Amino acid sequence: FEAYDVARMVRLLADDARFSMPPYELWLQGRGAIERWWDGPGRVCVNSRMIIAGANGQPAVAAYHDAGSDRWEPWAIHVLDVRDGAITAITHFMGPAVFAEFGLPDRIVRDGPR
């Protein structure tokens, strides 16, 4: 994700993968729909930094968006459902308040989390 290589990310998805951002109405299903979103509105995530996390026993990553000056700020926690080696769902929990609940740093600077 940090490289924002959409083709590589799509290869990790199951054919019928789901993509959602509660409480927003955004809900996608299938590799093609997710790929189009990543190549369109999702490009806001270019140059993000990630921290591996977990949520309710599931793999997750905390995404930090580029805030300039070698600083990244909390954006979303991506919770992954995985089956047979493929991502079957990505649920995005948006906003910095969620990060505090997970004990994640409130920013990342070039030298590491803070």
Side-chain angles (χ1 to χ4, degrees):
F1 197 89
E2 286 186 359
Y4 212 79
D5 184 333
V6 173
R8 280 179 39 204
M9 293 190 298
V10 167
R11 285 195 299 269
L12 297 172
L13 299 174
D15 289 338
D16 62 347
R18 295 177 321 279
F19 181 103
S20 62
M21 289 184 189
Y24 301 105
E25 292 183 13
L26 177 65
W27 192 90
L28 306 171
Q29 184 166 13
R31 282 180 165 173
I34 296 168
E35 181 177 24
R36 285 187 296 279
W37 195 89
W38 278 337
D39 272 333
R43 295 205 59 82
V44 70
C45 294
V46 169
N47 198 35
S48 291
R49 294 294 177 263
M50 312 299 275
I51 294 178
I52 295 172
N56 294 330
Q58 294 176 252
V61 291
Y64 291 77
H65 272 205
D66 187 355
S69 301
D70 291 327
R71 189 179 86 246
W72 293 264
E73 296 180 350
W75 183 256
I77 295 179
H78 306 257
V79 179
L80 309 176
D81 291 353
V82 180
R83 184 182 69 242
D84 298 327
I87 297 170
T88 58
I90 306 171
T91 306
H92 304 77
F93 296 95
M94 310 297 288
V98 175
F99 284 64
E101 292 176 24
F102 281 85
L104 292 161
D106 64 354
R107 68 183 177 277
I108 296 174
V109 295
R110 185 163 46 114
D111 298 327
R114 299 278 185 224

